[in-house]
C-alpha cells in the first residue's frame, strides 16, 4: 500500500528532473544571430547591429560575450579584404553593436562567435550585409 502511494510522487520527481536537465542546457544551434539592418551606409564610422535570438523562446539574449569577429568581402570574391571591428555599448537588450570601416560598397560577410552564461558551446554566426552609398 505504501509503495503504491510513493509511485506517483517518484514519477513526478523523475519528470521534474528530466524537465530541469533538458531546459538547463541548450545547444549552440538553439541560438541565432540576425542583422538589425541588412543594408548599412558605407564609411569609416559604420555601425553594424546584430541581434542574438534564443530560437526556443524567440526572445533576444543579453549578456553574451562576443570574442571573435571578422568582417570581410567574401560575398564579392574578396575574402582577404577585411576590416577592423570594434565592439560598442548595447542600446537595447539582446542587440550587439560594432563599429567598423566599410570602405567599399557591396557585399560583406560578418562572422562572429559568442559565449553565453550556462552554455558550454560557443554560438557562431555568419551574416551577409550590404554596404550602400
Amino acid at each position: 500500500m505504501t509503495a503504491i502511494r510513493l509511485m506517483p510522487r517518484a514519477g513526478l520527481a523523475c519528470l521534474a528532473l528530466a524537465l530541469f536537465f533538458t531546459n538547463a542546457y541548450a545547444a549552440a544551434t538553439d541560438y541565432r544571430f540576425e542583422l538589425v539592418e541588412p543594408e548599412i551606409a558605407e564609411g569609416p564610422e559604420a555601425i553594424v547591429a546584430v541581434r542574438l535570438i534564443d530560437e526556443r523562446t524567440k526572445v533576444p539574449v543579453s549578456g553574451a560575450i562576443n570574442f571573435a569577429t571578422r568582417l570581410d568581402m567574401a560575398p564579392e570574391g574578396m575574402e582577404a579584404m577585411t576590416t577592423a571591428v570594434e565592439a560598442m555599448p548595447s542600446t537595447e537588450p539582446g542587440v550587439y553593436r560594432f563599429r567598423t570601416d566599410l570602405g567599399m560598397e557591396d557585399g560583406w560577410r560578418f562572422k562572429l562567435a559568442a559565449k553565453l552564461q550556462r552554455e558550454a558551446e560557443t554560438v557562431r554566426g555568419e551574416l551577409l550585409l550590404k554596404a550602400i552609398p
Side-chain angles (χ1 to χ4, degrees), residues 24-25 48 56 87 116:
Y25 299 101
V48 178
R56 299 163 300 164
L116 301 174

Side-chain angles (χ1 to χ4, degrees), residues 23-104:
N23 289 331
Y25 299 101
T29 56
D30 290 331
Y31 301 92
R32 72 177 161 80
F33 289 103
E34 66 183 22
L35 290 167
V36 173
E37 292 290 333
E39 294 185 342
I40 299 163
E42 71 173 312
E45 297 290 319
I47 301 294
V48 178
V50 177
R51 186 175 289 113
L52 179 58
I53 302 290
D54 184 330
E55 288 284 25
R56 299 163 300 164
T57 62
K58 306 299 184 211
V59 173
V61 178
S62 296
I65 299 170
N66 296 294
F67 67 89
T69 56
R70 177 183 168 93
L71 190 56
D72 62 43
M73 290 195 77
E76 303 303 323
M78 297 182 282
E79 186 172 357
M81 183 160 185
T82 63
T83 187
V85 178
E86 176 190 354
M88 303 286 297
S90 180
T91 57
E92 65 181 275
V95 174
Y96 301 89
R97 296 169 16 121
F98 303 89
R99 181 180 13 232
T100 189
D101 180 2
L102 295 177
M104 291 178 65

Side-chain angles (χ1 to χ4, degrees), residues 90-130:
S90 180
T91 57
E92 65 181 275
V95 174
Y96 301 89
R97 296 169 16 121
F98 303 89
R99 181 180 13 232
T100 189
D101 180 2
L102 295 177
M104 291 178 65
E105 64 182 87
D106 240 335
W108 290 81
R109 174 179 65 180
F110 189 33
K111 294 171 75 172
L112 60 164
K115 291 300 266 180
L116 301 174
Q117 291 181 349
R118 298 179 296 205
E119 298 298 344
E121 296 179 11
T122 299
V123 178
R124 298 181 190 282
E126 187 171 311
L127 306 168
L128 300 179
L129 60 102
K130 185 169 180 116

Side-chain angles (χ1 to χ4, degrees), residues 9-30:
R9 289 183 185 159
L12 286 174
C14 288
L15 178 62
L17 282 173
L19 289 173
F20 172 76
F21 284 114
T22 55
N23 289 331
Y25 299 101
T29 56
D30 290 331

